[in-house]
């Protein structure tokens, strides 16, 4: 018994510096992520700022009844899910395709240059990119519409048309993030045994056959892992991006849960209503994340601990 305590104390002391490194981040998470959760009680109250949380009237689930009776709620949920799913599918397909193409390049300088160029947008905020996209997609002065006019078509108001706006969100999000995801797949490609390609060449397999039967199966675990983990973000359609690009003209197709919560809670001061929507989203997101991690463990042997 004494020996076990001694080993436990020695192991704890050895890991103490690492634990201390985690402590500042843990404190920030507790303050800014878990501390504000006290406000969840507003979802069950008729909250009035003058009375505060302790003095506001308790109304139970009445706010949730109001949320689901609101005429735009189902459209907003549909927008959120559809935009998220399109981003997930495109965000998986494009990096895989680009990483496979980059893997075929034998000129290392060119390969590194392309990697750097496609990786740079990841570091830009949506405030900057939103301004760039507004200028590029402008129906009167934008480069895209100038080109459309040159080839004989009418200009398109991409950021003010409910048909085009969701596709603008998906394409711009993929453009911003696919370079970062490509790095993950390129790292996975380095783990494939080169002897497999040599054997395939001896058997007369073309590059396409090698890709189908060696490369894709070789990175299949990481593809499954990233696909499964992305399911936890089905209700996160990208607040920063949508907030910087949308307008009342495209609320019908571009308004998502996060922007709706912001508008109702901060702009319209309906705190209980907005909190109820946010809490509903958090519960569903928790279930999706839990399910995605289970599937990741089940099909890709991925474990957090």
């Amino acid at each position: 018994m004494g020996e076990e305590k001694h080993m436990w104390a020695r192991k704890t002391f050895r890991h103490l510096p690492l634990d201390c490194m985690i402590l500042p981040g843990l404190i920030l998470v507790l303050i800014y992520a878990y501390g504000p959760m006290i406000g969840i009680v507003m979802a069950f109250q008729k909250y009035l700022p003058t009375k505060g949380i302790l003095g506001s009237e308790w109304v139970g689930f009445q706010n949730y009844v109001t949320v689901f009776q609101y005429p735009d709620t189902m459209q907003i949920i549909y927008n959120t899910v559809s935009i998220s799913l399109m981003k997930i599918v495109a965000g998986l397909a494009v990096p895989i395709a680009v990483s496979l193409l980059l893997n075929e390049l034998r000129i290392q300088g060119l390969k590194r240059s392309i990697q750097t160029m496609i990786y740079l947008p990841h570091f830009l905020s949506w405030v900057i990119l939103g301004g760039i996209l507004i200028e590029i997609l402008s129906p009167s002065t934008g480069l895209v519409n100038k080109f459309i006019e040159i080839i004989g078509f009418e200009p398109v108001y991409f950021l003010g048309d409910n048909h085009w706006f969701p596709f603008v969100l998906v394409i711009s999000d993929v453009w911003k993030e696919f370079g970062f995801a490509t790095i993950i797949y390129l790292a996975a490609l380095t783990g494939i045994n080169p002897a497999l390609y040599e054997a395939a060449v001896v058997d007369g397999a073309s590059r396409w056959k090698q890709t189908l039967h060696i490369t894709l199966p070789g990175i299949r675990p990481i593809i499954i892992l990233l696909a499964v983990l992305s399911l936890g973000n089905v209700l996160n359609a990208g607040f920063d991006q949508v907030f910087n690009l949308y307008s009342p003209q495209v609320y019908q197709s571009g308004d998502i849960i996060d922007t709706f919560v912001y508008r109702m809670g901060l702009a319209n001061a309906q705190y209980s209503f907005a909190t109820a929507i946010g809490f509903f989203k958090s519960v569903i997101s928790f279930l999706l994340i839990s399910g995605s991690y289970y599937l990741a463990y089940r099909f890709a042997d991925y474990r957090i601990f």
Side-chain angles (χ1 to χ4, degrees), residues 155-167:
V156 179
Y157 191 8
F158 291 100
L159 298 180
D161 189 313
N162 280 300
H163 173 72
W164 287 105
F165 187 72
F167 298 104

Side-chain angles (χ1 to χ4, degrees), residues 63-229:
N63 289 319
Y64 292 94
V65 174
T66 305
V67 165
F68 287 102
Q69 288 178 344
Y70 193 78
D72 295 334
T73 298
M74 298 312 297
Q75 181 64 43
I76 290 166
I77 294 174
Y78 172 79
N79 293 343
T80 305
V81 174
S82 62
I83 291 171
S84 295
L85 289 177
M86 286 192 291
K87 284 183 177 181
I88 289 171
V89 173
L92 286 171
V94 174
I96 293 171
V98 173
S99 61
L100 292 176
L101 292 173
L102 285 176
N103 190 54
E104 296 299 319
L105 282 178
R106 294 296 175 260
I107 305 174
Q108 292 301 316
L110 177 61
K111 182 177 180 178
R112 286 193 293 267
S113 298
I114 294 174
Q115 281 184 262
T116 302
M117 286 189 291
I118 64 176
Y119 185 51
L120 285 177
H122 171 76
F123 295 100
L124 299 178
S125 71
W126 276 113
V127 176
I128 297 172
L129 290 179
I132 294 172
L133 287 172
I134 289 171
E135 291 297 324
I136 292 176
L137 299 176
S138 169
S140 56
T141 60
L143 293 177
V144 174
N145 276 301
K146 288 295 183 184
F147 176 75
I148 291 175
E149 287 180 336
I150 289 173
I151 61 177
F153 293 97
E154 292 294 324
V156 179
Y157 191 8
F158 291 100
L159 298 180
D161 189 313
N162 280 300
H163 173 72
W164 287 105
F165 187 72
F167 298 104
V168 172
L169 294 177
V170 174
I171 293 171
S172 58
D173 181 75
V174 171
W175 169 68
K176 182 178 186 295
E177 300 296 342
F178 84 94
F180 181 79
T182 298
I183 293 176
I184 299 174
Y185 293 113
L186 287 172
L189 288 170
T190 61
I192 299 176
N193 188 351
L196 297 175
Y197 292 104
E198 295 172 2
V201 171
V202 171
D203 290 339
S206 63
R207 297 300 300 178
W208 176 244
K209 291 291 186 181
Q210 292 175 42
T211 300
L212 288 179
H213 299 289
I214 299 176
T215 307
L216 287 177
I219 63 173
R220 183 169 54 193
I222 193 68
I223 293 174
I224 294 174
L225 175 62
L226 294 180
V228 168
L229 293 181

